[in-house]
Amino acid sequence: CKEAIRYSRWTGSSWVSETILKEGAEDTAIVVGNDRPLIAFAGAYLGLVERHGRKWTATTIYPDSAESVALALEDDGTLHAVFSSYGSESMRLRHRYWTEGAGWSAPVTVDEPLGYSPDVSLARYAAELHVSYYDEANGALKYAHRTASGAWSSEFVDTPVTSGSIPPSQWIRMEILISPTTTSPTETCATPLSRQDARQTGTVTIRTIAPRT
């Protein structure tokens, strides 16, 4: 279902809403830098809208169709987009980043084939990127990590997915969280699947969220 995008902001006394895109959004992601919102949307193509004063400007992140998207913004203004897009036979996880003066980098494939990928979650910590996503081709929850040097690696978190009786197709969203600790790895099954893994940069926690049954 491809929906419209509406943006709401608090004026100090009330909420003001406006329609940014009338239709075509399969998934959205938002970050805010210098009090300026940037909203990415996946659909027939991967686009980005940015608010300048009272006006919105639109650009294209990736010209081909995309299923899901996540954003992360660095302190220097570098914008990262991780998204699932269609390859020749299956979905693939890709990454692009934007820098002032250079624009968007060439797309890099992080992982493929994925089958259908219902959600992607992205977090940035200590100049590194952390991504959680579902790999339908292997029935697995997976984790990808990008070092400060730009090298990507991926690994299985849970395969086959054992999140109770709730299939991945019913997940509302996925979250990846980074906390600045180096505690030993622990595992919990609270929501309905949560895995914590100690990294040099902190503790990575992946959560999948679904309706109560």
Side-chain angles (χ1 to χ4, degrees):
C1 181
K2 296 182 179 180
E3 304 288 350
I5 300 177
R6 287 182 60 80
Y7 172 75
S8 299
R9 57 187 174 86
W10 177 252
T11 64
S13 59
S14 63
W15 286 97
V16 176
S17 300
E18 57 185 307
T19 299
I20 301 172
L21 187 71
K22 292 184 177 180
E23 60 181 358
E26 193 81 41
D27 188 31
T28 59
I30 184 171
V31 292
V32 178
N34 296 323
D35 295 325
R36 191 170 67 237
L38 299 95
I39 303 173
F41 58 92
Y45 66 100
L46 186 64
L48 180 75
V49 287
E50 182 178 358
R51 195 168 191 266
H52 296 274
R54 297 182 179 181
K55 295 183 178 181
W56 290 91
T57 58
T59 57
T60 298
I61 300 176
Y62 188 70
D64 297 334
S65 60
E67 189 74 25
S68 56
V69 60
L71 296 176
L73 187 65
E74 295 190 32
D75 295 337
D76 64 0
T78 299
L79 178 65
H80 295 272
V82 173
F83 54 97
S84 57
S85 66
Y86 292 96
S88 58
E89 298 181 358
S90 180
M91 299 290 289
R92 55 190 174 185
L93 188 68
R94 311 202 81 184
H95 168 240
R96 297 191 81 174
Y97 62 90
W98 179 93
T99 55
E100 184 71 39
W104 287 101
S105 66
V108 172
T109 298
V110 178
D111 193 9
E112 66 174 340
L114 299 180
Y116 169 69
S117 180
D119 199 10
V120 173
S121 182
L122 170 65
R124 185 185 69 85
Y125 184 81
E128 299 183 344
L129 298 180
H130 305 264
V131 183
S132 61
Y133 57 102
Y134 178 64
D135 177 358
E136 186 190 50
N138 291 291
L141 180 65
K142 298 182 77 173
Y143 163 79
H145 170 230
R146 181 181 186 265
T147 65
S149 65
W152 280 99
S153 62
S154 63
E155 62 187 85
F156 290 95
V157 175
D158 192 26
T159 180
V161 172
T162 56
S163 305
S165 60
I166 303 174
S169 60
Q170 295 182 18
W171 293 351
I172 297 175
R173 70 179 186 274
M174 185 185 302
E175 293 180 347
I176 185 165
L177 310 170
I178 314 295
S179 57
T181 62
T182 54
T183 57
S184 300
T186 60
E187 298 222 5
T188 63
C189 295
T191 61
L193 173 66
S194 176
R195 178 179 187 259
Q196 296 182 344
D197 189 9
R199 300 278 163 179
Q200 290 184 350
T201 55
T203 298
V204 178
T205 303
I206 299 171
R207 300 190 299 176
T208 59
I209 301 173
R212 291 183 179 272
T213 58

PDB file of all heavy atoms in Angstrom, residues 41-78:
ATOM      1  N   PHE A  41      11.694   8.607   1.231  1.00  0.00           N
ATOM      2  CA  PHE A  41      10.549   7.736   0.982  1.00  0.00           C
ATOM      3  C   PHE A  41      10.908   6.724  -0.101  1.00  0.00           C
ATOM      4  O   PHE A  41      11.589   7.025  -1.080  1.00  0.00           O
ATOM      5  CB  PHE A  41       9.317   8.547   0.567  1.00  0.00           C
ATOM      6  CG  PHE A  41       9.487   9.398  -0.658  1.00  0.00           C
ATOM      7  CD1 PHE A  41       9.169   8.910  -1.920  1.00  0.00           C
ATOM      8  CD2 PHE A  41       9.989  10.688  -0.557  1.00  0.00           C
ATOM      9  CE1 PHE A  41       9.324   9.693  -3.050  1.00  0.00           C
ATOM     10  CE2 PHE A  41      10.146  11.486  -1.689  1.00  0.00           C
ATOM     11  CZ  PHE A  41       9.819  10.980  -2.944  1.00  0.00           C
ATOM     12  N   ALA A  42      10.453   5.484   0.126  1.00  0.00           N
ATOM     13  CA  ALA A  42      10.690   4.391  -0.809  1.00  0.00           C
ATOM     14  C   ALA A  42       9.405   4.087  -1.551  1.00  0.00           C
ATOM     15  O   ALA A  42       8.319   4.114  -0.983  1.00  0.00           O
ATOM     16  CB  ALA A  42      11.169   3.150  -0.058  1.00  0.00           C
ATOM     17  N   GLY A  43       9.540   3.790  -2.836  1.00  0.00           N
ATOM     18  CA  GLY A  43       8.391   3.478  -3.675  1.00  0.00           C
ATOM     19  C   GLY A  43       8.874   3.150  -5.067  1.00  0.00           C
ATOM     20  O   GLY A  43       9.771   2.329  -5.243  1.00  0.00           O
ATOM     21  N   ALA A  44       8.288   3.796  -6.073  1.00  0.00           N
ATOM     22  CA  ALA A  44       8.733   3.595  -7.447  1.00  0.00           C
ATOM     23  C   ALA A  44      10.191   4.028  -7.618  1.00  0.00           C
ATOM     24  O   ALA A  44      10.888   3.561  -8.513  1.00  0.00           O
ATOM     25  CB  ALA A  44       7.838   4.357  -8.409  1.00  0.00           C
ATOM     26  N   TYR A  45      10.643   4.927  -6.762  1.00  0.00           N
ATOM     27  CA  TYR A  45      12.046   5.318  -6.666  1.00  0.00           C
ATOM     28  C   TYR A  45      12.315   5.713  -5.229  1.00  0.00           C
ATOM     29  O   TYR A  45      11.391   5.815  -4.418  1.00  0.00           O
ATOM     30  CB  TYR A  45      12.367   6.468  -7.632  1.00  0.00           C
ATOM     31  CG  TYR A  45      11.668   7.781  -7.290  1.00  0.00           C
ATOM     32  CD1 TYR A  45      12.339   8.796  -6.625  1.00  0.00           C
ATOM     33  CD2 TYR A  45      10.329   7.982  -7.638  1.00  0.00           C
ATOM     34  CE1 TYR A  45      11.701   9.994  -6.305  1.00  0.00           C
ATOM     35  CE2 TYR A  45       9.692   9.172  -7.322  1.00  0.00           C
ATOM     36  CZ  TYR A  45      10.378  10.170  -6.659  1.00  0.00           C
ATOM     37  OH  TYR A  45       9.749  11.344  -6.336  1.00  0.00           O
ATOM     38  N   LEU A  46      13.574   5.921  -4.887  1.00  0.00           N
ATOM     39  CA  LEU A  46      13.930   6.348  -3.531  1.00  0.00           C
ATOM     40  C   LEU A  46      14.189   7.849  -3.552  1.00  0.00           C
ATOM     41  O   LEU A  46      15.122   8.310  -4.225  1.00  0.00           O
ATOM     42  CB  LEU A  46      15.171   5.600  -3.043  1.00  0.00           C
ATOM     43  CG  LEU A  46      15.573   5.855  -1.585  1.00  0.00           C
ATOM     44  CD1 LEU A  46      14.498   5.356  -0.634  1.00  0.00           C
ATOM     45  CD2 LEU A  46      16.906   5.162  -1.282  1.00  0.00           C
ATOM     46  N   GLY A  47      13.349   8.612  -2.881  1.00  0.00           N
ATOM     47  CA  GLY A  47      13.451  10.061  -2.923  1.00  0.00           C
ATOM     48  C   GLY A  47      13.715  10.667  -1.560  1.00  0.00           C
ATOM     49  O   GLY A  47      13.629  10.001  -0.529  1.00  0.00           O
ATOM     50  N   LEU A  48      14.044  11.951  -1.562  1.00  0.00           N
ATOM     51  CA  LEU A  48      14.319  12.689  -0.342  1.00  0.00           C
ATOM     52  C   LEU A  48      13.694  14.068  -0.456  1.00  0.00           C
ATOM     53  O   LEU A  48      13.862  14.749  -1.474  1.00  0.00           O
ATOM     54  CB  LEU A  48      15.826  12.824  -0.117  1.00  0.00           C
ATOM     55  CG  LEU A  48      16.264  13.576   1.148  1.00  0.00           C
ATOM     56  CD1 LEU A  48      16.063  12.694   2.377  1.00  0.00           C
ATOM     57  CD2 LEU A  48      17.728  14.005   1.043  1.00  0.00           C
ATOM     58  N   VAL A  49      12.958  14.470   0.569  1.00  0.00           N
ATOM     59  CA  VAL A  49      12.422  15.831   0.622  1.00  0.00           C
ATOM     60  C   VAL A  49      13.030  16.533   1.827  1.00  0.00           C
ATOM     61  O   VAL A  49      13.211  15.947   2.892  1.00  0.00           O
ATOM     62  CB  VAL A  49      10.877  15.844   0.704  1.00  0.00           C
ATOM     63  CG1 VAL A  49      10.272  15.455  -0.619  1.00  0.00           C
ATOM     64  CG2 VAL A  49      10.369  14.935   1.808  1.00  0.00           C
ATOM     65  N   GLU A  50      13.375  17.808   1.631  1.00  0.00           N
ATOM     66  CA  GLU A  50      14.065  18.584   2.661  1.00  0.00           C
ATOM     67  C   GLU A  50      13.363  19.921   2.815  1.00  0.00           C
ATOM     68  O   GLU A  50      12.997  20.564   1.833  1.00  0.00           O
ATOM     69  CB  GLU A  50      15.525  18.784   2.259  1.00  0.00           C
ATOM     70  CG  GLU A  50      16.365  19.531   3.270  1.00  0.00           C
ATOM     71  CD  GLU A  50      17.806  19.639   2.834  1.00  0.00           C
ATOM     72  OE1 GLU A  50      18.146  19.101   1.755  1.00  0.00           O
ATOM     73  OE2 GLU A  50      18.596  20.259   3.558  1.00  0.00           O
ATOM     74  N   ARG A  51      13.180  20.349   4.056  1.00  0.00           N
ATOM     75  CA  ARG A  51      12.448  21.575   4.317  1.00  0.00           C
ATOM     76  C   ARG A  51      13.415  22.745   4.462  1.00  0.00           C
ATOM     77  O   ARG A  51      14.309  22.739   5.291  1.00  0.00           O
ATOM     78  CB  ARG A  51      11.593  21.440   5.583  1.00  0.00           C
ATOM     79  CG  ARG A  51      10.534  22.521   5.750  1.00  0.00           C
ATOM     80  CD  ARG A  51       9.569  22.110   6.854  1.00  0.00           C
ATOM     81  NE  ARG A  51       8.393  22.961   6.890  1.00  0.00           N
ATOM     82  CZ  ARG A  51       8.264  24.041   7.658  1.00  0.00           C
ATOM     83  NH1 ARG A  51       9.255  24.387   8.460  1.00  0.00           N
ATOM     84  NH2 ARG A  51       7.165  24.748   7.644  1.00  0.00           N
ATOM     85  N   HIS A  52      13.221  23.773   3.631  1.00  0.00           N
ATOM     86  CA  HIS A  52      13.978  25.015   3.705  1.00  0.00           C
ATOM     87  C   HIS A  52      12.989  26.142   3.976  1.00  0.00           C
ATOM     88  O   HIS A  52      12.256  26.551   3.084  1.00  0.00           O
ATOM     89  CB  HIS A  52      14.732  25.286   2.405  1.00  0.00           C
ATOM     90  CG  HIS A  52      15.794  24.282   2.085  1.00  0.00           C
ATOM     91  ND1 HIS A  52      17.079  24.382   2.570  1.00  0.00           N
ATOM     92  CD2 HIS A  52      15.759  23.155   1.349  1.00  0.00           C
ATOM     93  CE1 HIS A  52      17.789  23.366   2.127  1.00  0.00           C
ATOM     94  NE2 HIS A  52      17.012  22.602   1.387  1.00  0.00           N
ATOM     95  N   GLY A  53      12.978  26.628   5.214  1.00  0.00           N
ATOM     96  CA  GLY A  53      11.995  27.646   5.558  1.00  0.00           C
ATOM     97  C   GLY A  53      10.598  27.076   5.468  1.00  0.00           C
ATOM     98  O   GLY A  53      10.265  26.108   6.136  1.00  0.00           O
ATOM     99  N   ARG A  54       9.773  27.648   4.571  1.00  0.00           N
ATOM    100  CA  ARG A  54       8.414  27.149   4.391  1.00  0.00           C
ATOM    101  C   ARG A  54       8.267  26.252   3.173  1.00  0.00           C
ATOM    102  O   ARG A  54       7.176  25.777   2.884  1.00  0.00           O
ATOM    103  CB  ARG A  54       7.442  28.329   4.274  1.00  0.00           C
ATOM    104  CG  ARG A  54       7.372  29.192   5.527  1.00  0.00           C
ATOM    105  CD  ARG A  54       6.343  30.302   5.351  1.00  0.00           C
ATOM    106  NE  ARG A  54       6.237  31.127   6.550  1.00  0.00           N
ATOM    107  CZ  ARG A  54       5.399  32.146   6.670  1.00  0.00           C
ATOM    108  NH1 ARG A  54       4.605  32.467   5.645  1.00  0.00           N
ATOM    109  NH2 ARG A  54       5.365  32.836   7.783  1.00  0.00           N
ATOM    110  N   LYS A  55       9.374  26.028   2.452  1.00  0.00           N
ATOM    111  CA  LYS A  55       9.310  25.262   1.222  1.00  0.00           C
ATOM    112  C   LYS A  55       9.996  23.906   1.369  1.00  0.00           C
ATOM    113  O   LYS A  55      10.938  23.748   2.136  1.00  0.00           O
ATOM    114  CB  LYS A  55       9.945  26.046   0.066  1.00  0.00           C
ATOM    115  CG  LYS A  55       9.210  27.328  -0.301  1.00  0.00           C
ATOM    116  CD  LYS A  55       9.873  28.002  -1.501  1.00  0.00           C
ATOM    117  CE  LYS A  55       9.129  29.260  -1.907  1.00  0.00           C
ATOM    118  NZ  LYS A  55       9.763  29.912  -3.093  1.00  0.00           N
ATOM    119  N   TRP A  56       9.489  22.928   0.606  1.00  0.00           N
ATOM    120  CA  TRP A  56      10.085  21.611   0.541  1.00  0.00           C
ATOM    121  C   TRP A  56      10.751  21.438  -0.821  1.00  0.00           C
ATOM    122  O   TRP A  56      10.181  21.794  -1.842  1.00  0.00           O
ATOM    123  CB  TRP A  56       9.028  20.526   0.725  1.00  0.00           C
ATOM    124  CG  TRP A  56       8.461  20.447   2.109  1.00  0.00           C
ATOM    125  CD1 TRP A  56       7.358  21.104   2.573  1.00  0.00           C
ATOM    126  CD2 TRP A  56       8.972  19.687   3.191  1.00  0.00           C
ATOM    127  NE1 TRP A  56       7.145  20.794   3.894  1.00  0.00           N
ATOM    128  CE2 TRP A  56       8.125  19.924   4.301  1.00  0.00           C
ATOM    129  CE3 TRP A  56      10.055  18.825   3.356  1.00  0.00           C
ATOM    130  CZ2 TRP A  56       8.329  19.325   5.541  1.00  0.00           C
ATOM    131  CZ3 TRP A  56      10.262  18.237   4.590  1.00  0.00           C
ATOM    132  CH2 TRP A  56       9.409  18.486   5.660  1.00  0.00           C
ATOM    133  N   THR A  57      11.962  20.894  -0.817  1.00  0.00           N
ATOM    134  CA  THR A  57      12.645  20.573  -2.061  1.00  0.00           C
ATOM    135  C   THR A  57      12.837  19.062  -2.141  1.00  0.00           C
ATOM    136  O   THR A  57      13.042  18.398  -1.122  1.00  0.00           O
ATOM    137  CB  THR A  57      14.018  21.271  -2.153  1.00  0.00           C
ATOM    138  OG1 THR A  57      14.832  20.866  -1.026  1.00  0.00           O
ATOM    139  CG2 THR A  57      13.853  22.779  -2.141  1.00  0.00           C
ATOM    140  N   ALA A  58      12.763  18.528  -3.356  1.00  0.00           N
ATOM    141  CA  ALA A  58      12.835  17.078  -3.541  1.00  0.00           C
ATOM    142  C   ALA A  58      14.032  16.705  -4.403  1.00  0.00           C
ATOM    143  O   ALA A  58      14.365  17.399  -5.370  1.00  0.00           O
ATOM    144  CB  ALA A  58      11.550  16.561  -4.177  1.00  0.00           C
ATOM    145  N   THR A  59      14.695  15.615  -4.030  1.00  0.00           N
ATOM    146  CA  THR A  59      15.799  15.065  -4.812  1.00  0.00           C
ATOM    147  C   THR A  59      15.641  13.552  -4.871  1.00  0.00           C
ATOM    148  O   THR A  59      14.859  12.964  -4.121  1.00  0.00           O
ATOM    149  CB  THR A  59      17.173  15.403  -4.196  1.00  0.00           C
ATOM    150  OG1 THR A  59      17.209  14.905  -2.840  1.00  0.00           O
ATOM    151  CG2 THR A  59      17.427  16.888  -4.186  1.00  0.00           C
ATOM    152  N   THR A  60      16.391  12.922  -5.750  1.00  0.00           N
ATOM    153  CA  THR A  60      16.354  11.463  -5.890  1.00  0.00           C
ATOM    154  C   THR A  60      17.616  10.853  -5.296  1.00  0.00           C
ATOM    155  O   THR A  60      18.728  11.250  -5.638  1.00  0.00           O
ATOM    156  CB  THR A  60      16.244  11.057  -7.373  1.00  0.00           C
ATOM    157  OG1 THR A  60      15.018  11.565  -7.908  1.00  0.00           O
ATOM    158  CG2 THR A  60      16.257   9.546  -7.524  1.00  0.00           C
ATOM    159  N   ILE A  61      17.417   9.899  -4.387  1.00  0.00           N
ATOM    160  CA  ILE A  61      18.549   9.172  -3.816  1.00  0.00           C
ATOM    161  C   ILE A  61      18.936   8.011  -4.718  1.00  0.00           C
ATOM    162  O   ILE A  61      20.114   7.750  -4.961  1.00  0.00           O
ATOM    163  CB  ILE A  61      18.194   8.638  -2.408  1.00  0.00           C
ATOM    164  CG1 ILE A  61      17.845   9.786  -1.463  1.00  0.00           C
ATOM    165  CG2 ILE A  61      19.358   7.812  -1.843  1.00  0.00           C
ATOM    166  CD1 ILE A  61      17.386   9.325  -0.099  1.00  0.00           C
ATOM    167  N   TYR A  62      17.918   7.309  -5.226  1.00  0.00           N
ATOM    168  CA  TYR A  62      18.149   6.128  -6.065  1.00  0.00           C
ATOM    169  C   TYR A  62      17.005   6.052  -7.068  1.00  0.00           C
ATOM    170  O   TYR A  62      15.833   6.113  -6.684  1.00  0.00           O
ATOM    171  CB  TYR A  62      18.203   4.877  -5.182  1.00  0.00           C
ATOM    172  CG  TYR A  62      18.616   3.617  -5.891  1.00  0.00           C
ATOM    173  CD1 TYR A  62      19.922   3.450  -6.342  1.00  0.00           C
ATOM    174  CD2 TYR A  62      17.702   2.586  -6.096  1.00  0.00           C
ATOM    175  CE1 TYR A  62      20.306   2.276  -6.986  1.00  0.00           C
ATOM    176  CE2 TYR A  62      18.082   1.415  -6.736  1.00  0.00           C
ATOM    177  CZ  TYR A  62      19.377   1.267  -7.178  1.00  0.00           C
ATOM    178  OH  TYR A  62      19.768   0.119  -7.812  1.00  0.00           O
ATOM    179  N   PRO A  63      17.288   5.936  -8.370  1.00  0.00           N
ATOM    180  CA  PRO A  63      16.235   6.069  -9.379  1.00  0.00           C
ATOM    181  C   PRO A  63      15.316   4.870  -9.526  1.00  0.00           C
ATOM    182  O   PRO A  63      14.217   4.996 -10.070  1.00  0.00           O
ATOM    183  CB  PRO A  63      17.027   6.307 -10.669  1.00  0.00           C
ATOM    184  CG  PRO A  63      18.336   5.618 -10.431  1.00  0.00           C
ATOM    185  CD  PRO A  63      18.622   5.812  -8.972  1.00  0.00           C
ATOM    186  N   ASP A  64      15.728   3.697  -9.061  1.00  0.00           N
ATOM    187  CA  ASP A  64      14.915   2.492  -9.217  1.00  0.00           C
ATOM    188  C   ASP A  64      14.036   2.265  -7.989  1.00  0.00           C
ATOM    189  O   ASP A  64      14.223   2.894  -6.944  1.00  0.00           O
ATOM    190  CB  ASP A  64      15.812   1.283  -9.462  1.00  0.00           C
ATOM    191  CG  ASP A  64      16.612   1.410 -10.750  1.00  0.00           C
ATOM    192  OD1 ASP A  64      16.140   2.132 -11.651  1.00  0.00           O
ATOM    193  OD2 ASP A  64      17.699   0.818 -10.832  1.00  0.00           O
ATOM    194  N   SER A  65      13.107   1.323  -8.093  1.00  0.00           N
ATOM    195  CA  SER A  65      12.151   1.074  -7.016  1.00  0.00           C
ATOM    196  C   SER A  65      12.840   0.564  -5.758  1.00  0.00           C
ATOM    197  O   SER A  65      13.852  -0.141  -5.819  1.00  0.00           O
ATOM    198  CB  SER A  65      11.093   0.070  -7.476  1.00  0.00           C
ATOM    199  OG  SER A  65      11.706  -1.156  -7.847  1.00  0.00           O
ATOM    200  N   ALA A  66      12.284   0.946  -4.624  1.00  0.00           N
ATOM    201  CA  ALA A  66      12.817   0.551  -3.317  1.00  0.00           C
ATOM    202  C   ALA A  66      11.658   0.155  -2.410  1.00  0.00           C
ATOM    203  O   ALA A  66      10.546   0.664  -2.545  1.00  0.00           O
ATOM    204  CB  ALA A  66      13.619   1.678  -2.697  1.00  0.00           C
ATOM    205  N   GLU A  67      11.936  -0.753  -1.475  1.00  0.00           N
ATOM    206  CA  GLU A  67      10.890  -1.273  -0.597  1.00  0.00           C
ATOM    207  C   GLU A  67      10.910  -0.627   0.778  1.00  0.00           C
ATOM    208  O   GLU A  67       9.870  -0.350   1.356  1.00  0.00           O
ATOM    209  CB  GLU A  67      11.063  -2.789  -0.462  1.00  0.00           C
ATOM    210  CG  GLU A  67       9.925  -3.493   0.254  1.00  0.00           C
ATOM    211  CD  GLU A  67       8.675  -3.606  -0.593  1.00  0.00           C
ATOM    212  OE1 GLU A  67       8.791  -3.588  -1.836  1.00  0.00           O
ATOM    213  OE2 GLU A  67       7.585  -3.709  -0.009  1.00  0.00           O
ATOM    214  N   SER A  68      12.091  -0.402   1.325  1.00  0.00           N
ATOM    215  CA  SER A  68      12.215   0.168   2.661  1.00  0.00           C
ATOM    216  C   SER A  68      13.469   1.021   2.732  1.00  0.00           C
ATOM    217  O   SER A  68      14.402   0.859   1.934  1.00  0.00           O
ATOM    218  CB  SER A  68      12.241  -0.938   3.729  1.00  0.00           C
ATOM    219  OG  SER A  68      13.283  -1.863   3.463  1.00  0.00           O
ATOM    220  N   VAL A  69      13.519   1.943   3.727  1.00  0.00           N
ATOM    221  CA  VAL A  69      14.636   2.876   3.824  1.00  0.00           C
ATOM    222  C   VAL A  69      14.858   3.279   5.271  1.00  0.00           C
ATOM    223  O   VAL A  69      13.918   3.307   6.074  1.00  0.00           O
ATOM    224  CB  VAL A  69      14.383   4.129   2.954  1.00  0.00           C
ATOM    225  CG1 VAL A  69      13.126   4.857   3.401  1.00  0.00           C
ATOM    226  CG2 VAL A  69      15.580   5.065   2.954  1.00  0.00           C
ATOM    227  N   ALA A  70      16.099   3.553   5.619  1.00  0.00           N
ATOM    228  CA  ALA A  70      16.464   4.089   6.926  1.00  0.00           C
ATOM    229  C   ALA A  70      17.549   5.138   6.720  1.00  0.00           C
ATOM    230  O   ALA A  70      18.358   5.040   5.794  1.00  0.00           O
ATOM    231  CB  ALA A  70      16.962   2.976   7.856  1.00  0.00           C
ATOM    232  N   LEU A  71      17.563   6.172   7.576  1.00  0.00           N
ATOM    233  CA  LEU A  71      18.507   7.280   7.462  1.00  0.00           C
ATOM    234  C   LEU A  71      19.322   7.437   8.736  1.00  0.00           C
ATOM    235  O   LEU A  71      18.877   7.099   9.830  1.00  0.00           O
ATOM    236  CB  LEU A  71      17.766   8.596   7.200  1.00  0.00           C
ATOM    237  CG  LEU A  71      16.968   8.751   5.905  1.00  0.00           C
ATOM    238  CD1 LEU A  71      16.249  10.098   5.907  1.00  0.00           C
ATOM    239  CD2 LEU A  71      17.876   8.631   4.688  1.00  0.00           C
ATOM    240  N   ALA A  72      20.522   7.999   8.576  1.00  0.00           N
ATOM    241  CA  ALA A  72      21.363   8.396   9.715  1.00  0.00           C
ATOM    242  C   ALA A  72      22.142   9.632   9.295  1.00  0.00           C
ATOM    243  O   ALA A  72      22.615   9.731   8.153  1.00  0.00           O
ATOM    244  CB  ALA A  72      22.309   7.273  10.123  1.00  0.00           C
ATOM    245  N   LEU A  73      22.287  10.581  10.210  1.00  0.00           N
ATOM    246  CA  LEU A  73      22.945  11.856   9.911  1.00  0.00           C
ATOM    247  C   LEU A  73      24.143  12.039  10.826  1.00  0.00           C
ATOM    248  O   LEU A  73      24.037  11.906  12.050  1.00  0.00           O
ATOM    249  CB  LEU A  73      21.947  13.001  10.115  1.00  0.00           C
ATOM    250  CG  LEU A  73      22.390  14.402   9.697  1.00  0.00           C
ATOM    251  CD1 LEU A  73      22.613  14.466   8.191  1.00  0.00           C
ATOM    252  CD2 LEU A  73      21.341  15.425  10.117  1.00  0.00           C
ATOM    253  N   GLU A  74      25.305  12.359  10.225  1.00  0.00           N
ATOM    254  CA  GLU A  74      26.506  12.612  11.013  1.00  0.00           C
ATOM    255  C   GLU A  74      26.569  14.080  11.412  1.00  0.00           C
ATOM    256  O   GLU A  74      25.884  14.933  10.848  1.00  0.00           O
ATOM    257  CB  GLU A  74      27.754  12.235  10.205  1.00  0.00           C
ATOM    258  CG  GLU A  74      27.857  10.759   9.888  1.00  0.00           C
ATOM    259  CD  GLU A  74      29.219  10.407   9.318  1.00  0.00           C
ATOM    260  OE1 GLU A  74      30.211  11.057   9.709  1.00  0.00           O
ATOM    261  OE2 GLU A  74      29.291   9.482   8.484  1.00  0.00           O
ATOM    262  N   ASP A  75      27.430  14.381  12.381  1.00  0.00           N
ATOM    263  CA  ASP A  75      27.550  15.750  12.887  1.00  0.00           C
ATOM    264  C   ASP A  75      28.015  16.724  11.815  1.00  0.00           C
ATOM    265  O   ASP A  75      27.679  17.913  11.859  1.00  0.00           O
ATOM    266  CB  ASP A  75      28.515  15.786  14.079  1.00  0.00           C
ATOM    267  CG  ASP A  75      27.991  15.000  15.278  1.00  0.00           C
ATOM    268  OD1 ASP A  75      26.760  14.806  15.368  1.00  0.00           O
ATOM    269  OD2 ASP A  75      28.822  14.587  16.105  1.00  0.00           O
ATOM    270  N   ASP A  76      28.796  16.241  10.836  1.00  0.00           N
ATOM    271  CA  ASP A  76      29.305  17.126   9.787  1.00  0.00           C
ATOM    272  C   ASP A  76      28.324  17.302   8.631  1.00  0.00           C
ATOM    273  O   ASP A  76      28.638  17.943   7.632  1.00  0.00           O
ATOM    274  CB  ASP A  76      30.650  16.623   9.261  1.00  0.00           C
ATOM    275  CG  ASP A  76      30.543  15.260   8.574  1.00  0.00           C
ATOM    276  OD1 ASP A  76      29.431  14.691   8.503  1.00  0.00           O
ATOM    277  OD2 ASP A  76      31.579  14.746   8.103  1.00  0.00           O
ATOM    278  N   GLY A  77      27.123  16.717   8.754  1.00  0.00           N
ATOM    279  CA  GLY A  77      26.112  16.853   7.720  1.00  0.00           C
ATOM    280  C   GLY A  77      26.045  15.699   6.743  1.00  0.00           C
ATOM    281  O   GLY A  77      25.163  15.675   5.879  1.00  0.00           O
ATOM    282  N   THR A  78      26.960  14.732   6.845  1.00  0.00           N
ATOM    283  CA  THR A  78      26.911  13.563   5.973  1.00  0.00           C
ATOM    284  C   THR A  78      25.641  12.773   6.242  1.00  0.00           C
ATOM    285  O   THR A  78      25.345  12.431   7.395  1.00  0.00           O
ATOM    286  CB  THR A  78      28.134  12.659   6.187  1.00  0.00           C
ATOM    287  OG1 THR A  78      29.317  13.395   5.881  1.00  0.00           O
ATOM    288  CG2 THR A  78      28.071  11.426   5.296  1.00  0.00           C
TER     289      THR A  78
END
